[in-house]
Amino acid sequence: MPNKNAFVFCNIYILLWLLYAMQSIFLGGTGGPVSTLILFVLIGISLYHFIYAFLNYKMPVYMKCLALLVLMFTVYGVILIISGETITFMRSGHRVNNYNYIKKIYASLLPIYSFYVFTRKGVLTKELLLKWSFVFFITAGMQFIQGQRRAVLETMDEDVEITNNYAYLFLSMIPLLVFWSKNKFVQYTGLIITLVFIILGMKRGAILTGALAVAMFMYRTIKTATRKQKIWVLVLSMILIVAGYFTVRYMLVSSGYFNYRIEKTLEGNSSGRNDLYGFYWNHFINETNTLRFLFGNGANATLKFSWNYAHNDWLEIATNQGLLGLVVFIIYWVGFYRTWKSSSFDDEVYLAMGLSLLILFVKTWFSMSYGAMSLYATICVGYCVGMVSEHWKRAL
């Protein structure tokens, strides 16, 4: 029987992460004393669960590989803090707080352990995920709108069109929709909403990844549906495709910026990423210092050599942590894949974890993924891995 206090604690933990994510809306801006205190508490809880999980459970391979990744980033983050080194963005001269490196890593990755523990304790259940998913859609929508408003205030132009990074929030919620399999109307309505916001966000990487995720979602859903369900699934899938088509068509007609983004994509323009990719790749393979090639140049080292982060996890790690970091990162993804393959005992867990793997892995190639996992992504991964462990426990 789940502990009532643990159940309350789980919900407060989720609520605090939502409050922190929306600090610019509810806490009067980012980086204030209240939001800093909330993050400090959340990271403390997550660190406790990190230790608690290894002391109390037999951990699946994914959690072990994730721990290796976290520990590596921790060592490099601590070294950066102790060094007192000043790192700035070349173009703006803005100084990067050395504590931010480890703070972002912990806020991104450690919640997976908390949600894993809550799942093992029996308080984070499928029913609770379904209830919170409604709140997640509302909060993601509020963050998306806030991002648009901020752009308007910065440009003083009400008709401004921008790329909205909050589109990635909707992308990370696609795996959670898997658990609505018993209510296809809610499930496919949610998919349509996510697609619309992803397209409106005009982030090319999010649109590409979203298309791949929806294709995997529909393929697996149709494959696992009963003969009676297949008709409804096919009909709803067609509605989803039509909705996506008309959304894109509307954007083509009404948005000059959307057309501009497509044109630049066809021309091979990647918003400066190709230049960054080429620079950091050449820097890595042409490194003459053996120690730096093996162990990298340190946390946030990419900013020492060029004007921005690599916007590619593999190149960021190659520059910062060297060959060692790349090996650890490969081990992490192998562990993720192996744990996903072992989740085939449950169609929903298998698809949700597979979608999470697809979305997060594809994102590593054109964005900063390991330091920017959303609450919606971590709660899904933590729950799925927890369910895998529970299955193994029952099978013994």
Side-chain angles (χ1 to χ4, degrees), residues 105-343:
I105 295 297
Y106 283 178
S108 174
L109 301 178
L110 286 181
I112 295 174
Y113 288 94
S114 291
F115 293 126
Y116 174 82
V117 170
F118 288 136
T119 303
R120 297 300 306 271
K121 285 178 176 288
V123 294
L124 180 57
T125 61
K126 173 182 171 180
E127 290 69 30
L128 187 61
L129 276 179
L130 296 184
K131 290 175 182 177
W132 273 110
S133 65
F134 284 109
V135 181
F136 294 162
F137 268 93
I138 294 170
T139 54
M142 292 172 67
Q143 289 176 270
F144 188 95
I145 293 169
Q146 179 70 4
Q148 293 288 132
R149 286 177 177 172
R150 192 180 298 120
V152 171
L153 290 173
E154 289 175 356
T155 61
M156 301 301 290
D157 182 0
E158 293 185 2
D159 297 320
V160 68
E161 290 186 297
I162 63 164
T163 51
N164 194 325
N165 286 323
Y166 290 110
Y168 283 111
L169 293 180
F170 286 93
L171 180 64
S172 65
M173 280 193 292
I174 292 177
L176 289 173
L177 289 169
V178 172
F179 299 109
W180 281 99
S181 61
K182 293 215 167 39
N183 192 326
K184 294 298 182 186
F185 176 77
V186 172
Q187 188 178 58
Y188 276 80
T189 300
L191 272 176
I192 290 171
I193 292 171
T194 58
L195 270 182
V196 169
F197 272 98
I198 288 169
I199 294 170
L200 289 175
M202 300 194 203
K203 295 291 293 184
R204 291 171 290 186
I207 292 172
L208 170 63
T209 311
L212 292 173
V214 169
M216 179 179 178
F217 188 105
M218 290 193 299
Y219 169 77
R220 185 70 188 176
T221 302
I222 292 169
K223 183 179 179 180
T224 57
T226 64
R227 184 175 296 181
K228 194 175 182 180
Q229 292 173 331
K230 268 188 171 61
I231 297 174
W232 282 107
V233 171
L234 286 169
V235 169
L236 290 169
S237 297
M238 287 303 299
I239 292 173
L240 177 64
I241 293 169
V242 170
Y245 167 77
F246 278 105
T247 301
V248 171
R249 185 177 177 182
Y250 170 78
M251 294 297 291
L252 288 170
V253 172
S254 63
S255 173
Y257 186 58
F258 188 74
N259 282 276
Y260 170 79
R261 297 284 288 177
I262 291 177
E263 182 182 334
K264 289 298 179 183
T265 302
L266 294 175
E267 291 175 356
N269 183 295
S270 58
S271 302
R273 279 177 168 79
N274 284 342
D275 294 334
L276 287 170
Y277 297 165
F279 177 85
Y280 287 122
W281 172 246
N282 287 324
H283 184 277
F284 174 65
I285 61 172
N286 293 317
E287 178 62 72
T288 56
N289 185 303
T290 304
L291 284 177
R292 288 183 179 176
F293 178 77
L294 292 175
F295 303 108
N297 299 273
N300 283 337
T302 45
L303 296 181
K304 299 177 187 177
F305 305 119
S306 191
W307 69 91
N308 207 340
Y309 294 109
H311 288 279
N312 176 300
D313 282 349
W314 301 91
L315 293 174
E316 186 77 21
I317 289 175
T319 305
N320 295 348
Q321 283 86 24
L323 185 62
L324 167 70
L326 289 177
V327 170
V328 171
F329 204 42
I330 290 170
I331 291 172
Y332 166 76
W333 287 109
V334 170
F336 202 150
Y337 176 80
R338 286 178 58 190
T339 303
W340 167 55
K341 295 302 289 183
S342 69
S343 69

Side-chain angles (χ1 to χ4, degrees), residues 351-372:
L351 178 55
M353 194 169 184
L355 285 167
S356 298
L357 172 61
L358 170 70
I359 291 168
L360 293 170
F361 182 74
V362 171
K363 194 179 176 186
T364 65
W365 297 98
F366 54 78
S367 188
M368 311 293 284
S369 174
Y370 62 79

